[in-house]
Amino acid sequence: MSKQRLFLIISFLVLFLGFYSNLWNAARTEAFGWFDEFSECLAIGKIARSEKEGILSHGGLPGVNYDATKVPANSDIWFEVYLEQRPDYLSGNIPDSYDVYKSQTGGQLIFFSIVQKVLPFDNSIRLQIFHFINAILSALCFTLFVGWVFRNFGSISAVLVLFLVTMSSWITLFGHSLWWSLWGSYIPFITMLLVLEYSNKVKKLTSNRILLYLFLSVFAKCVFNGYEFISTALVAAMCPVIFYAFLERQKLKSFISFFIKASVTCIVAVVLQIMMLIVQIKSVTGSFAVAIDYIITSYTRRSFSADDKFAHYAYSFIFKRYLKGNAFNSDFLSQYSIVIYFAYVIMAVVIMAAVVYYLSRGLDEVRKRLNITLLVTVAVSSVAPLSWFVIFKQHSANHFHLDYIVWYMPFLLLGFIVIGEGISLILNKLGLYK
């Protein structure tokens, strides 16, 4: 067995155990399993409704089940019953009424509902199997990324990336959640990373073939977990394009042409999925006009154009809050009152970027080019989280308990490589590692 294959197997197992059971205690014990129950209830509610009425009932949309005789009139149904979704599903006592959530297709939940149909177990075991499958998909996603790091930047960088991803409390929490289905957000980034690596090292692919993969990956992301962190996912998809364009010394005119085509491809994929969502909403409301108006209103409600107290928060205030988030909020660090802010992690990336730039000057031309390409791509990737904070300002200001995950899409993932490469070069300079 090759070193790479063995490393990937170990990586997958380490990541899977973290996502499924928090084995490494990367996340606080009291948070894991109950993380963002307010959103998770939409996943459980949809799976329960599929069991009761069919997979495509209510347009296949997510939602919550409730007893109309017990919920107060004109109340926020979702808020009133979100804590009841899990116990109702586990007991099999599903209320008759259903309130749909129209902002997401819920493809991941349709998938779990299909799996549910073939599982001959009670709902408590089914729920564990859903988390098992979700952990597999999340672990596979990050294993593919770690494998790319191993092949291109060596074992030290790959091991460091694996360790930091595994110990990230935010990645662990989101990777466990059935609602967020974190793996879905990384489909475009991972797809383009591997497709362009193949085109660079194995067999040159045509532009149309690459654009087809891009279209399918963006469409899949929108189907599986909707438009959650959509701007970060789209920018992340373009980062491999920039990486390999710079690495291969593409001519500026050629790069701009392909970049424009890739951007249009992403937009077309998103618009096509929005059309699919409109059809789903229409099947519930009975009106295309109502469905289209909901899509427009939903965007306005979450973006910088929202008209509420959250949208009026200053950008400086929002940025400061997300820089002061705890990047590694584990039980072990918490008991010693150790807080590692995202600002500290970003500062470490910047310092190690300077180290990589300085020490790369003495390397051969190929390795030097690779490292400079990495630094350029990391700088560009910082646009991904910033795009979310700026464009979806209202969501960012209203979700200070959630949106820290965008730092990893893919800015800090690439930043971890910089830290690993910096350590490798320092060890090489000291004669301890080649």
Side-chain angles (χ1 to χ4, degrees):
M1 181 181 295
S2 67
K3 286 174 58 179
Q4 180 183 173
R5 183 170 298 179
L6 177 62
F7 176 71
L8 291 180
I9 292 173
I10 294 173
S11 297
F12 176 82
L13 292 175
V14 168
L15 290 164
F16 167 76
L17 292 172
F19 292 134
Y20 181 68
S21 64
N22 193 29
L23 182 64
W24 318 114
N25 293 314
R28 297 287 294 273
T29 302
E30 65 268 23
F32 189 82
W34 295 97
F35 171 66
D36 192 23
E37 186 72 7
F38 190 64
S39 298
E40 183 87 347
C41 74
L42 294 171
I44 298 174
K46 162 58 186 172
I47 294 170
R49 183 53 47 177
S50 295
E51 182 182 36
K52 186 177 180 70
E53 293 186 2
I55 296 171
L56 297 180
S57 62
H58 302 273
L61 293 168
V64 292
N65 302 285
Y66 68 101
D67 186 339
T69 64
K70 297 181 179 179
V71 177
N74 300 320
S75 64
D76 184 340
I77 297 174
W78 184 3
F79 179 78
E80 291 288 338
V81 302
Y82 77 95
L83 289 176
E84 300 172 13
Q85 300 307 300
R86 189 185 298 266
D88 284 349
Y89 177 68
L90 294 177
S91 67
N93 182 28
I94 314 300
D96 292 330
S97 299
Y98 187 68
D99 185 55
V100 298
Y101 177 75
K102 299 187 287 290
S103 295
Q104 187 189 117
T105 288
Q108 78 279 35
L109 308 178
I110 293 174
F111 167 67
F112 290 133
S113 297
I114 294 173
V115 173
Q116 176 176 245
K117 293 294 184 181
V118 300
L119 294 177
F121 307 111
D122 62 39
N123 288 347
S124 62
I125 297 178
R126 284 174 172 172
L127 190 57
Q128 290 300 315
I129 292 175
F130 298 149
H131 280 294
F132 185 89
I133 295 172
N134 194 57
I136 287 176
L137 293 172
S138 295
L140 178 61
C141 161
F142 288 101
T143 298
L144 291 172
F145 175 70
V146 170
W148 180 84
V149 177
F150 186 93
R151 290 188 299 275
N152 291 276
F153 293 94
S155 57
I156 288 183
S157 294
V159 170
L160 185 79
V161 169
L162 173 62
F163 174 75
L164 292 175
V165 168
T166 300
M167 297 312 298
S168 167
S169 51
W170 291 104
I171 292 178
T172 299
L173 291 171
F174 274 86
H176 180 75
S177 171
L178 296 179
W179 172 253
W180 292 104
S181 293
L182 185 60
W183 48 271
S185 295
Y186 284 95
I187 291 176
F189 173 64
I190 298 298
T191 297
M192 294 306 293
L193 204 62
L194 299 182
V195 166
L196 291 174
E197 180 189 31
Y198 179 88
S199 182
N200 174 260
K201 292 185 176 181
V202 181
K203 181 181 178 181
K204 192 69 176 178
L205 299 176
T206 64
S207 295
N208 288 339
R209 177 67 64 87
I210 295 173
L211 292 174
L212 175 61
Y213 285 123
L214 176 61
F215 171 83
L216 293 175
S217 63
V218 172
F219 184 78
K221 180 265 181 285
C222 294
V223 167
F224 282 120
N225 69 353
Y227 312 104
E228 311 291 356
F229 312 123
I230 183 64
S231 67
T232 59
L234 297 181
V235 175
M238 303 307 292
C239 287
V241 174
I242 294 171
F243 181 93
Y244 281 101
F246 193 87
L247 185 66
E248 296 171 355
R249 291 183 170 88
Q250 289 184 11
K251 294 181 178 180
L252 182 61
K253 183 178 180 180
S254 176
F255 167 73
I256 293 176
S257 175
F258 183 80
F259 189 88
I260 292 173
K261 291 178 182 178
S263 300
V264 172
T265 298
C266 290
I267 294 172
V268 170
V270 172
V271 170
L272 184 62
Q273 210 289 310
I274 289 177
M275 293 172 63
M276 176 178 169
L277 180 59
I278 288 173
V279 172
Q280 288 179 279
I281 298 174
K282 187 266 180 184
S283 70
V284 175
T285 63
S287 169
F288 278 116
V290 171
I292 294 172
D293 181 69
Y294 178 84
I295 296 295
I296 296 173
T297 303
S298 182
Y299 167 77
T300 303
R301 187 175 69 250
R302 292 304 190 190
S303 71
F304 56 82
S305 57
D307 186 20
D308 62 16
K309 62 179 182 180
F310 298 110
H312 289 96
Y313 281 14
Y315 279 115
S316 59
F317 175 76
I318 294 173
F319 293 151
K320 287 178 182 178
R321 283 292 298 267
Y322 283 103
L323 286 171
K324 292 184 68 174
N326 193 346
F328 299 96
N329 190 16
S330 66
D331 288 332
F332 175 78
L333 294 177
S334 296
Q335 69 178 331
Y336 295 105
S337 299
I338 298 174
V339 179
I340 302 176
Y341 297 124
F342 277 100
Y344 297 165
V345 180
I346 294 170
M347 189 180 302
V349 171
V350 172
I351 292 172
M352 294 307 286
V355 171
V356 170
Y357 179 80
Y358 178 78
L359 294 181
S360 291
R361 295 185 301 174
L363 300 179
D364 63 84
E365 195 60 33
V366 173
R367 187 71 183 193
K368 179 180 178 181
R369 184 73 183 182
L370 182 66
N371 285 346
I372 299 302
T373 298
L374 173 64
L375 298 182
V376 170
T377 308
V378 170
V380 173
S381 72
S382 65
V383 174
L386 295 178
S387 72
W388 183 260
F389 300 146
V390 172
I391 299 173
F392 293 94
K393 179 183 179 184
Q394 192 276 352
H395 192 283
S396 300
N398 192 24
H399 292 79
F400 287 129
H401 59 297
L402 289 175
D403 289 5
Y404 297 98
I405 189 65
V406 300
W407 286 120
Y408 298 98
M409 297 183 175
F411 172 55
L412 283 185
L413 292 187
L414 297 173
F416 292 161
I417 305 175
V418 172
I419 295 175
E421 183 66 6
I423 293 173
S424 297
L425 291 173
I426 291 172
L427 293 176
N428 179 70
K429 188 73 174 179
L430 297 174
L432 301 176
Y433 175 76
K434 185 175 181 180

